[in-house]
Amino acid sequence: MHGRAIRVRGIVQGVGFRPTIWRLARQYRLTGEVWNDGLGVMIHAFGSNEDLETFIRQIPLQLPPLAKLDSLEVQTLGEQQDGEEFRIVASRQNGIETPIAADAATCPDCLAEIADPGNRRYRYPFTNCTHCGPRLSIIRRVPYDRCHTSMSKFAMCPQCQQEYDDPADRRFHAQANCCPDCGPKVWLEDSHGQTPDRIDPLKQAAELIRQGYIIAIKGLGGFHLACNAADADAVNRLRERKRRYAKPFALMAWDVGTIVRYAMLNDQEKQALHDKAAPIVLLSAHGLTLAPGVAPGDDKLGFMLPYTPLHTLLLQDLDTPIVLTSGNISDEPQCTDNDEAREKLTGIADYLLLHDRDIVNRLDDSVMREMAGNMRILRRARGYSPEALVLPPGFEQAGNILAMGAELKNSFCLLKNGQAVVSQHIGDLENAAVQADYRNAIGLYKQLYGFKPQYVAVDHHPGYLSKQYGQLLAESEAALLVPVQHHHAHLAACLAEHGVALDAPPVLAAIFDGLGMGDEGGLWGGEFLLGDYKHYTRLGHFQAIALPGGVQAMREPWRNTYAQLLHYFDWQSLQQDYADLDVIKLLASKPLATVATMIGKNINSPPSTSCGRWFDAFAAALGLHSEQVQYEGQAAIALEILATPLFSDEQSYPQAWAIDRSEGLSVLNWLGLWQAVLTDLKQGVNKARIAARIHHSLVVATVALLNDLSRQTGIDNIVLSGGVFQNRLLLEAVTGQLQQHGLTVLSPQRYPMNDGGLALGQAVIAAARGI
């Protein structure tokens, strides 16, 4: 008999990993033990050398569906094994290092059980096993044992306990295991707290949705608000009550067959919909139409499939998709608690579908879109967080780092032992309730991972609430504060995701976003950088244009149009030459003398190179949300939508841009583009053509400048990132043209290219500087 100690790290707890090891060990006639601990899973196995080697080779090949192997280390065991069988033994505590699995959509076996009238879990909305169900949403601490989850208050019945104790059962140590006799219950309440007299609350909820009512549904990681997506009156009432007047609603449909009646779907998108993460997938609208209020003015629909038995049972009784939007008042965090929902959602929902399993961690739905040939995560939350990213070579010795993220679309990041754990999407910290949720989530993650930071990485911007809280944490934890430049963090996050080694040569990058603090207090957002993990150099940027009114310029796109025109033209001459244009008439109705004075005297009108505000300016010039935007990026999204149908038939305006050399930097000047746009508007050219030409002009200018910088530096690896690259036309065209020139293009896929991915970049930059 020979012995091996096998240390397994990764997502290996609560996913059926130990039963898999138990079955393999029996198959290869081994004796020994396997157990969970704070580092992952430990295996002591005894047998012939040949059987042991075969067993070890099979471990990575026989992983259960939710498991993820990060490392497998083998050592020889000298002692002999007592006993004649292989056993699963109790968890042992020895520190906290084990990654926590993400919540996973219902597996086929559980779906079959809830559909089988002869099964004891028939129509039971909390059916799960080691291959699916809640994980992060219910965990309070590790190891991932039932006593450390919100299932602890539900004592298992004898049948469930038997499944839980049987290594041959797929529910062996399924910590959320339950059935109708012993598990959580679901019920329906009206707005007065009364429970309608009906046996099956899910059938009744489906019937109420069909009739046009709005239902608040307690799901996996929070509450949703649901209504019939084909009922225009119901959708409009939901918008009014929720105070979400413009942003598209998410949708849930019974199956892909339903979705293709309303949207186009390729193989990658279909695969993403069926993935265990079950994200919202943004699809091109096509075919039958839903209520106009579902996605006002948008050419996309955000669909997801049912990912819990509760959603499956609800949707199977409905023949149209439902709106399934976050259960909150606009901009607040999603409700997670029954009493909170009764207080906050009763004025929005007509009925509440509740259950008694506590949600420990709020999880919004993740969002993906296929762009440039790859599925890309735009919002990373349920189904993906808190899966760890194994960092590239060179980061093995990095210290413990807490990265605080950005102000908008916030997530934070813990870096430890060569791995980065990016939190679920938290939201916009400008909202006090979101900020409280942010602080609570950081505290919980520190507890879950036994984490004490040595470094706290923050954005340069002094006004970011994430930075201010990071400063407090650094002081209280006696950690070193590491400020990180915003656009450098975007660059580094992309490098880390793509596995670029710490000592790799620098890359070129175009980082286009709304706003970020640059060097010496400047506001950046249209940047061309040369950089690696430790350093960056600014090589070029968009022409800096004033933001009249500061924050107001982000909310009122006309301000950016006026600032651009004032920068490039004499305003009096412009008024005379283009007096009949709608945009000139609109601007003439504004307090331009005051705004011009603000710009001239630099009163609350900081210059910025923002590509996001550049898009706003051109959108407003074409009459798209000129007065005000209801949500971030609305005007730019409208410009992309307008341009899309004619984009493939158009090309750039000639002489639309020029490169000005200023203090060693390449500055993109847009005078020619403005002249061309104003001329087209005056001649009555179709605005969709103008929008397409604007996009092409930005593409050609970006590619030309990157090509120029590539020739100067000899670097042929290019990073494209920042929230503006969520524009599909821009990302695909720039990527394609750079590749045609023989350049290698990296852009984010697994982490958001918007500020939701910023914390990852902050963490690896702080690590690189500390190593």
Side-chain angles (χ1 to χ4, degrees), residues 6 49 87 129 244 247 261 271 341 391 408 426 485 500 524 652 661 669 695 731:
I6 305 161
N49 275 331
R87 300 178 301 151
C129 69
R244 178 168 166 167
K247 200 171 185 180
R261 288 155 47 191
Q271 186 177 348
L391 293 176
L408 303 180
I426 302 294
Q485 200 279 323
V500 176
W524 293 3
S652 169
R661 308 291 177 185
N669 178 308
H695 276 79
L731 180 68

Side-chain angles (χ1 to χ4, degrees), residues 56 89 148 246 260 262 349 409 501 518 541 694 756:
I56 292 166
V89 297
H148 297 152
V260 296
Y262 304 94
K409 299 179 175 64
H541 58 81
I694 290 169

Side-chain angles (χ1 to χ4, degrees), residues 590-603:
K590 302 300 180 184
L592 296 187
T594 302
V595 176
T597 300
M598 291 170 61
I599 294 171
K601 296 186 176 181
N602 196 22
I603 301 170

Side-chain angles (χ1 to χ4, degrees), residues 492-513:
C494 186
L495 295 181
E497 175 189 333
H498 285 279
V500 176
L502 176 60
D503 60 358
V507 298
L508 291 171
I511 311 293
F512 295 171
D513 63 3

Side-chain angles (χ1 to χ4, degrees), residues 331-333 362 403-412 423-442 459 463-470 755 762:
D331 296 330
E332 289 192 1
R362 178 175 65 83
M404 304 300 291
E407 185 82 346
L408 303 180
K409 299 179 175 64
N410 178 276
S411 65
F412 57 88
S423 78
Q424 68 271 28
H425 167 84
I426 302 294
D428 296 350
L429 298 185
E430 295 168 337
N431 180 283
V434 175
Q435 191 182 153
D437 193 53
Y438 169 65
R439 295 184 178 213
N440 290 337
I442 290 174
D459 192 274
Y464 277 12
L465 295 165
S466 57
K467 177 174 185 176
Q468 294 167 14
Y469 187 49
D755 283 2
Q762 293 171 343

